Structure formats: C-alpha cells, structure tokens
Amino acid sequence: MHGLKVIDASTILAGPLCCQILGDFGADVIKIEHPIHGDSMRGHGGQKDGVSLWWKEVSRNKRTVGLNLGTQEGAEVFLRLAATSDVVVENFRPGTLERWGIGPDELHRVNPKLILVRLTGFGQTGPYSARPGFGTLAEAMSGFAHLTGSSDGPPTLPAFGLADSICGIAASSAVMMALRHREVNGGPGQVIDLSILEPIMTAVGPSPTVYQQTGIIEERHGNRSTNNAPRNTYRTRDAHWVAVSSSAQSVAERIMTLVGHPELLEEPWFGSGRGRADHADLIDGYVADWIGQRDRREVVAEFERVGGAVAPIYSAKDIVDDPHIRETKMLVEVDDPDLGPMLMHNVLWRMSETPGSIRFTGRPLGADTDAILDELGYAADTVRALREEGVIR
C-alpha cells in the first residue's frame, strides 16, 4: 500500500475503520475534519485526560487536516488534494458532496483514476437513501436484532459498532478490488456505493432465502442454535462463563462422553446437528450440570484434553491477560505523545511479505494542515489567509 494516498472524509465508524486498515498497511491517509468541531469520533468511547482512546486507535497512521468542505475555498482545497490522491472515502448523506461542488463528476474531472467510496446507511439510491444512517438501524433492519436475544425476550442490539465495523472491513476489500481493476486491468477510477445495511445483512445469513423458499421466519433462540447442540453458554463453579460449540459431529460425541453421557451417542437423533438441536433441553442439562460442578480452569483443560470446543467468555481484562492474544500480538503497545504506551488492536492480518504497522496514534485536530497544504503548493500567505477565514485549522 506504500505510495497510495487516501483521503478520509468520513466519520463514525465504517469509513474511518476502512481508512485505518489502509493506513496500517502503508497508505498515506489524510484525515479531513471540520476546523472547529473536529471529528465526532473524538468524543466517542472511553476517555483519559480528556482524550478519546477510540480516536487514538481508529485515527492511527493518519495525518490530519482541519478543512471546511462547505465553503468554496475549502472545496477548492479538497479538489486540489483529490487530484493527487488515489482514494476518497466519505459518508455524508447522498447529495452533500454534489451540493458542495465536489461530487463524483467534479472529482473525476480533476482525477479520472480516483476511487470514490461512498458509505451511507442505505446507499445512494432507493426510498431510504435520504434517511440518517447509523449502525444501530442496520443492526435492526438486517435481521440481526430479530435473531439475537432470548426467545421470550426483546430483540437485542450489540453494545458496540458491529454493523459499522463489518461495513468498514468490507469497504477496505472493495477498495482493493477497485485498485486491482485500475492498476492491473487499466480501468478508470470508479464510485463504490456501499451501505452499512448490506454487509451485516450478508453476515446474518440466508434467512431471506429460507423464507423465500420455505415460508419459515427464523426466530430467536437465545444462545442455542437450530443447527446443533450442545451450543450455549454455561456457568462454572467459580462463577465464570464458558461457551461451548459442537458444529462437528465428532466434537459433540467427545463432549457428551466427557460429561458422562455416552449413551446419547446411540440415539438415532444424535447423529445429526438438527436432531441434537431438537433435544437441546436434555443435552444442555447434562452439559450445564457437569460444568457447574467445576472451576473454569478445569473445564477448559478437560475440554482441551478430549478435543471438545470450549472458550471462556472474556471481559476486557481477560482479553488483555490472555497469553495467546499476547504471544500472537493481537494487541500491541504503541507510544502516544499524550498518554504514553497505549495497548491497542494490532493490524488486522499478518502478511509475510508486506506486513502492516502502527506508525503513530491519532493526532490532534489540524496537526498536519500546514505540511499537507505546503505539499499541494500553497504559499504561506495563502495558508494564513485561509486560516483567518476559518476555512482551515
């Protein structure tokens, strides 16, 4: 990704995550923020000494420019920047860039090879395109909330940015496809229209297909699965929780033998995941009773000994303390000028020839404005005038 220039003109959370991934692997990412208000991400999540910890991670490896795109002068700066860039990522409501004079036609006029990624709640077209788009709405409309939670309880939303995060990862993949088309096939730049709704709807699975083909509307089953059993969360004697899965028949057989009920293996219904799911009450009772009589450490050790599938349910502290997560560097410490050593998620995947890296954490608003405008050829007195007019920071 070295040599790739990306403009991050997006906010919370899909677009910034897409650009974080690109920056982690070497792209020069330039973050555009409003010169007065900054990016809303600066106020999200946990804070320390008035500094957003989430901002430090999602804006890592990004240079920052305070620029008011809603002014004529700001739009001109943006077009000049886009003319020298490879990718622009934005998540304004449909029509906003066009209203400012920096829509796809203008961007491709100054840079025909530019890839423009447009992330919105519901896409650029259709009856819902003008609606405010947030991950929560996508989690509701995708089928995720409908299928999540207890069967006798309300639909359940995640406590984190699930839909946005899935969309951000999908967007980084879309960018790479567009770059390949441009660089390998000699194609032009293009517009990527990606909604927050569609990636999570895909992740939820084929429930629309099931409905269309069978008329069945899948419902909530708590932590159970309609495809196999045992599959649930279970409380240990020392008041911890573990999750058990048995997607493979052989794993289900090992688990039931471990918990002292090998006789179930002789039942005709035990030979299929659906059959076991139909007898989940019986199976869960046996597994829960065995786990409830043992501490978490013993439960995990015994499951590992027999080749059963189990995982402790982790809090943030458990994640930080886990030796596997530490040894494989899923979390790494990065020096931050404001907060010192910061633990954060590592780059998303390990590549043998082109490894990514975290070069610096999220920076103060406008920290790189002067340097970037200088790269674009702006004279110092012009930069000074733009700053006095409130166009830049």
Side-chain angles (χ1 to χ4, degrees):
M1 303 296 290
H2 293 282
L4 191 76
K5 183 184 285 188
V6 177
I7 303 175
D8 180 1
S10 62
T11 187
I12 309 173
L13 165 67
L17 179 57
C18 168
C19 294
Q20 175 199 313
I21 294 169
L22 299 176
D24 284 349
F25 286 91
D28 176 17
V29 181
I30 298 173
K31 175 69 182 178
I32 305 296
E33 301 181 70
H34 191 279
I36 298 174
H37 307 299
D39 190 311
S40 299
M41 282 297 297
R42 291 184 181 272
H44 270 59
Q47 307 263 326
K48 182 180 179 182
D49 299 335
V51 177
S52 167
L53 303 177
W54 202 352
W55 169 265
K56 288 291 186 179
E57 177 168 320
V58 79
S59 294
R60 68 194 190 195
N61 296 331
K62 300 179 185 180
R63 298 193 288 165
T64 65
V65 174
L67 180 63
N68 188 344
L69 300 180
T71 64
Q72 181 179 345
E73 297 83 358
E76 290 172 357
V77 173
F78 188 79
L79 287 173
R80 196 157 164 178
L81 186 58
T84 64
S85 299
D86 298 282
V87 181
V88 169
V89 179
E90 63 96 6
N91 70 335
F92 297 102
R93 289 197 195 185
T96 300
L97 289 191
E98 289 83 350
R99 188 172 69 252
W100 290 339
I102 50 176
D105 291 344
E106 284 300 305
L107 290 170
H108 283 140
R109 178 183 63 79
V110 301
N111 185 352
K113 287 189 169 293
L114 184 73
I115 295 161
L116 173 61
V117 185
R118 313 196 77 175
L119 303 176
T120 55
F122 303 100
Q124 296 293 312
T125 61
Y128 302 155
S129 60
R131 289 184 180 180
F134 297 103
T136 297
L137 310 187
E139 288 146 9
M141 293 179 65
S142 64
F144 174 86
H146 176 78
L147 293 173
T148 305
S150 301
S151 58
D152 58 352
T156 301
L157 296 167
F160 54 93
L162 177 62
D164 276 281
S165 297
I166 295 173
C167 183
I169 297 170
S172 70
S173 177
V175 168
M176 299 313 299
M177 293 181 187
L179 286 171
R180 177 172 176 82
H181 175 65
R182 190 186 76 174
E183 305 301 331
V184 177
N185 300 326
Q190 58 183 298
V191 177
I192 299 172
D193 177 7
L194 179 60
S195 73
I196 299 174
L197 174 60
E198 201 160 0
I200 188 172
M201 193 162 65
T202 298
V204 167
S207 56
T209 305
V210 172
Y211 170 70
Q212 185 265 334
Q213 290 291 312
T214 69
I216 295 172
I217 300 174
E218 296 177 334
E219 300 294 342
R220 292 184 293 285
H221 299 281
N223 291 319
R224 287 181 175 175
S225 168
T226 57
N227 299 313
N228 61 79
R231 196 271 194 177
N232 212 327
T233 60
Y234 307 89
R235 187 179 174 91
T236 64
R237 182 172 60 188
D238 54 348
H240 291 289
W241 289 86
V242 297
V244 171
S245 178
S246 60
S247 296
Q249 178 70 24
S250 59
V251 172
E253 293 172 0
R254 293 171 199 151
I255 292 172
M256 297 317 298
T257 301
L258 172 66
V259 302
H261 290 279
E263 73 279 2
L264 293 188
L265 278 60
E266 305 303 319
E267 297 288 347
W269 51 261
F270 196 85
S272 70
R274 176 68 70 170
R276 298 197 307 276
D278 289 340
H279 294 78
D281 284 343
L282 175 66
I283 291 173
D284 267 351
Y286 290 147
V287 175
D289 182 63
W290 186 90
I291 289 176
Q293 296 178 44
R294 292 161 175 82
D295 292 346
R296 182 173 72 176
R297 183 183 297 274
E298 181 184 355
V299 170
V300 172
E302 284 297 294
F303 266 73
E304 288 185 352
R305 181 181 65 80
V306 302
V310 69
I313 293 178
Y314 275 176
S315 67
K317 181 181 184 304
D318 295 321
I319 294 171
V320 169
D321 293 342
D322 183 87
H324 179 84
I325 290 172
R326 283 288 196 174
E327 183 174 328
T328 57
K329 299 188 185 304
M330 295 183 192
L331 298 173
V332 293
E333 281 194 351
V334 184
D335 285 331
D336 178 76
D338 299 315
L339 303 175
M342 288 189 67
L343 192 68
M344 61 176 60
H345 298 101
N346 202 350
V347 299
L348 259 180
W349 39 77
R350 314 291 181 265
M351 300 180 69
S352 62
E353 303 302 319
T354 55
S357 65
I358 304 170
R359 301 176 296 282
F360 53 88
T361 57
R363 291 164 61 73
L365 173 57
D368 305 287
T369 300
D370 287 0
I372 290 171
L373 265 61
D374 179 68
E375 293 170 9
L376 294 175
Y378 280 88
D381 57 346
T382 303
V383 172
R384 190 179 308 110
L386 291 172
R387 183 166 283 118
E388 291 172 353
E389 294 168 9
V391 176
I392 64 171
R393 175 169 174 172

